[in-house]
Amino acid sequence: MANYKRILVALDLSDESSQVLDKAGEMAKVFGAELSLTHVIEPLTFAYGGDIPMDLSEVQEQLQTQAKEQLGKAGAKFGVPEDRQRVVLGQPAGEIHRLAEELNSDLVVIGSHGRHGLALLLGSTANGVLHGAGCDVLAVRVHSD
């Protein structure tokens, strides 16, 4: 079994994120590994393709501020210092790959909702991370409470 030293935890900050963080925290304890946390926000211009003739920068800033606060609370639970918590803007799978490489992570932990049918065909962030990662990926099956 691999001996992980640097674990990157990618959180979507949903209610189920605590399940992902708990699993990553358990692994970090077992391996004596360092945890880093990230949340990726897709730019609103990606979602709306520029179809809305308005400035979304203020809304985008609010989303980033809220995400940093939530990530800070998650990090406090496992003693992850602020300098190892990152909220980034971009395409989730690509940003997680970039950050894992930048941090020299040997494991990425991400949640998986286990979608089926059309959602499965369209792909998911977990699937995108799994198929492009340069390190091991653990997809934690999350369940709605």
Side-chain angles (χ1 to χ4, degrees):
M1 187 177 198
N3 188 14
Y4 301 113
K5 291 295 176 199
R6 285 170 299 286
I7 300 173
L8 175 62
V9 187
L11 300 172
D12 65 4
L13 301 178
S14 66
D15 291 340
E16 293 86 15
S17 286
S18 62
Q19 296 170 48
V20 177
L21 188 55
D22 288 346
K23 180 66 73 175
E26 290 171 21
M27 294 189 71
K29 284 180 188 170
V30 168
F31 292 109
E34 170 184 284
L35 284 178
S36 294
L37 309 179
T38 190
H39 174 72
V40 182
I41 300 173
E42 287 193 76
L44 292 175
T45 54
F46 282 13
Y48 296 105
D51 292 341
I52 299 175
M54 60 188 295
D55 183 9
L56 298 171
S57 60
E58 189 174 316
V59 175
Q60 191 80 61
E61 285 178 31
Q62 288 175 344
L63 288 172
Q64 286 179 265
T65 299
Q66 290 172 351
K68 285 179 184 174
E69 288 172 8
Q70 285 182 274
L71 203 62
K73 288 176 187 172
K77 181 176 181 180
F78 285 95
V80 179
E82 198 173 308
D83 67 334
R84 290 201 320 259
Q85 301 175 24
R86 291 182 174 82
V87 173
V88 294
L89 216 55
Q91 190 277 331
E95 290 301 319
I96 292 166
H97 293 152
R98 181 192 61 75
L99 198 52
E101 188 174 319
E102 179 183 307
L103 298 173
N104 201 22
S105 301
D106 30 41
L107 178 66
V108 173
V109 179
I110 190 163
S112 175
H113 295 274
R115 292 185 173 89
H116 302 284
L118 186 58
L120 182 62
L121 289 173
L122 295 174
S124 68
T125 299
N127 191 45
V129 171
L130 177 65
H131 287 94
C135 64
D136 290 351
V137 176
L138 172 64
V140 177
R141 179 65 56 118
V142 296
H143 303 281
S144 298
D145 295 332

